[in-house]
Amino acid sequence: MKRFAELTEQEILALAITNEDEDSRIYRGFAEGLREKYPASAKVFDEMAEEEVRHRTMLFDLYRTKFGEYLPLIRRQDVKGFIQKKPLWLMHPLNLDEVRKFAENMEYEAARFYRRATETSRDTSVRQLLVELAEAEVEHEGLAHKLGQQILTPSARAKEDETARRMFVLQYVQPGLAGLMDGSVSTLAPLVRGVVCGVMTAIGGLGHTLPYLIPNFWTATAVAIAVVAVELAAISYIRHRFMDTPFLQATFQVVVGGVLVFVAGILIGSS
């Protein structure tokens, strides 16, 4: 790896061109990953990708004027001091908040790069372009805000917020609820379930099992019954809060299910 101070002006421009190209492709990846569920935010990242393409064109035009057509391959990972990026754009489904934070960090790093490059450049035209690009990257946050106001209208933002809520319910609430309910039936479920479902299954199963560490059987049973009541109340609340089930209906369904399991256990145990 080379230190930044060791880079020539040709290498600095080549690195800047590579960075702009990579950033535009990252933004395009964000847009594609968000397009189905967050179309308005995808449009914002499409516009930011186009802005990065314009920056690359400006840099390459200047580079050709100064150094010709040959463009040496030099990337962020070839220079000390650059932050290594987690390949968030390859992960699906994309988390909207993580993507926005990632983009903010990208713009900050790009502006920092251009300011450092300006300090080492001796060519007036190169310095001028680098200064302009540093200012442009600083203003990108304003661009994102402006685009957000134009594209992410209140109705569009409300729709995306509702989509994010549904994704949260599907990814965490439902499997967690299934695990919590399964825990009342089988403590083996954590061995064959996903992480969220398995953890909640363990909580549901162990919650009313651990009281039997108490030496007195009837005391342990009373504590276990109280724990089960809390579990059933928690299940009813979660279904009401996140799955839009009326609280009384959710409570009735859960209690009836719990009673049936309890009765089945008694019948099996006494047979």
Side-chain angles (χ1 to χ4, degrees):
M1 296 177 68
K2 297 186 69 171
R3 293 187 298 112
F4 193 88
E6 298 172 346
L7 297 178
T8 65
E9 286 191 344
Q10 181 181 14
E11 290 172 332
I12 288 174
L13 282 178
L15 178 58
I17 292 169
T18 302
N19 287 347
E20 294 293 342
D21 181 62
E22 181 179 318
D23 288 353
S24 69
R25 294 170 69 180
I26 290 174
Y27 285 142
R28 194 72 71 189
F30 285 158
E32 292 303 315
L34 296 171
R35 201 174 309 283
E36 181 179 356
K37 294 182 174 62
Y38 307 102
S41 289
K43 179 64 175 175
V44 171
F45 283 108
D46 279 331
E47 294 288 344
M48 294 187 72
E50 290 300 323
E51 182 72 8
E52 300 297 339
V53 170
R54 286 191 287 271
H55 288 179
R56 183 190 185 281
T57 301
M58 293 167 61
L59 284 163
F60 201 28
D61 288 344
L62 177 61
Y63 180 90
R64 275 196 296 254
T65 301
K66 299 291 183 181
F67 304 107
E69 294 294 331
Y70 169 68
L71 184 67
L73 177 60
I74 179 168
R75 300 158 298 179
R76 286 182 175 95
Q77 55 266 39
D78 301 323
V79 181
K80 292 181 180 180
F82 276 93
I83 300 172
Q84 295 299 316
K85 287 185 170 64
K86 174 184 175 184
L88 181 64
W89 55 95
L90 297 178
M91 300 179 184
H92 295 279
L94 290 176
N95 180 289
L96 192 55
D97 289 335
E98 288 184 8
V99 167
R100 288 171 177 165
K101 182 64 176 177
F102 191 97
E104 289 178 6
N105 290 335
M106 283 176 57
E107 298 305 327
Y108 169 79
E109 184 181 352
R112 184 173 68 96
F113 163 71
Y114 286 126
R115 283 194 292 266
R116 291 178 64 190
T118 301
E119 295 172 359
T120 62
S121 177
R122 298 177 181 273
D123 186 282
T124 303
S125 58
V126 174
R127 284 176 58 87
Q128 181 179 351
L129 179 57
L130 292 175
V131 169
E132 292 176 1
L133 290 175
E135 293 174 352
E137 297 296 345
V138 171
E139 292 172 359
H140 257 196
E141 184 176 355
L143 172 64
H145 180 69
K146 180 180 179 181
L147 291 173
Q149 288 182 325
Q150 294 174 350
I151 299 171
L152 285 174
T153 61
S155 60
R157 187 177 293 276
K159 184 177 180 179
E160 292 195 352
D161 288 343
E162 176 59 23
T163 300
R165 190 192 75 86
R166 289 200 303 270
M167 292 295 294
F168 174 76
V169 171
L170 290 173
Q171 293 174 6
Y172 297 101
V173 176
Q174 282 191 345
L177 185 60
L180 186 60
M181 296 175 70
D182 282 352
S184 300
V185 180
S186 172
T187 56
L188 295 177
L191 301 178
V192 296
R193 299 280 183 164
V195 175
V196 175
C197 188
V199 169
M200 296 304 289
T201 299
I203 294 174
L206 296 175
H208 55 267
T209 302
L210 291 178
Y212 284 95
L213 294 175
I214 299 174
N216 186 284
F217 173 78
W218 293 111
T219 301
T221 300
V223 173
I225 291 174
V227 170
V228 170
V230 172
E231 291 176 347
L232 296 180
I235 292 170
S236 299
Y237 172 77
I238 293 173
R239 295 189 65 186
H240 169 68
R241 173 67 176 80
F242 294 102
M243 304 177 72
D244 299 326
T245 304
F247 185 76
L248 292 179
Q249 177 182 339
T251 302
F252 177 77
Q253 293 173 346
V254 171
V255 170
V256 170
V259 170
L260 291 176
V261 171
F262 181 70
V263 172
I266 292 177
L267 294 176
I268 293 173
S270 60
S271 61

